[in-house]
Amino acid sequence: MESQPDTPRTDQAPADPAATDDLLATQPVGYWSGLAHAAVTRRLRDTMARVDVTQPQYWVLNHVRYRPEAPSRREVVDELTPLADGPHEIGRVIDQLTHRGWLRLDARRRLALTDDGEAARARLRALVSEQRAVVHEGVSDEEYVAALKVLRRMIANAEREDEEPTGRV
């Protein structure tokens, strides 16, 4: 006789944006996490566009600012490209920010924020914090942490290579 799993398993239902609370356990996490990603990213990018900045520009400014030591162009490109919309985007962003006077290369060919770049980064951080407050409205820190812990566990489960799919349908 097969042993019962420790936690009940719920059948997967088709994605339904109108699913009631009692049916949420049947909903596909990929659908809902994808909707959350798209909505939050769209809100942030639309807000930044109003001040003529892109989200990747903000990533680069933060990345350069918070690195323990000034990064090279290649390091920034390599580290941020997985987040970008393509393999050339981060290099272009570095060029844009250099042209704008927000980034400079030092004598060692390392990237650094200019005073204008740091001021812009600080303004953008305030803007992002405002948008975060809107998105997090009605969500406690405890709920947010719990949601991220669940997502982190699901990601680890999905990436685990200890089991091969059966291939049976």
Side-chain angles (χ1 to χ4, degrees), residues 1 3-4 20 25 32 39 61 73 87 89 92 95 105-106 118 124 132 135 141 145 147 152 165 168:
M1 182 170 157
S3 65
Q4 293 297 317
T20 57
W32 288 95
L61 291 171
R73 178 188 180 93
E89 183 176 31
R92 290 178 184 135
D95 292 340
L105 282 173
D106 67 16
E118 175 54 26
L124 288 168
R132 184 182 195 278
V135 170
D141 285 349
V145 168
R152 199 162 48 183
R168 286 182 262 150

Side-chain angles (χ1 to χ4, degrees), residues 107-134:
R108 299 177 307 134
R109 311 249 342 124
R110 300 297 207 167
L111 292 167
L113 295 180
T114 63
D115 290 342
D116 287 346
E118 175 54 26
R121 190 202 61 75
R123 287 191 308 272
L124 288 168
R125 183 174 181 93
L127 184 79
V128 168
S129 293
E130 290 170 10
Q131 294 307 305
R132 184 182 195 278
V134 170

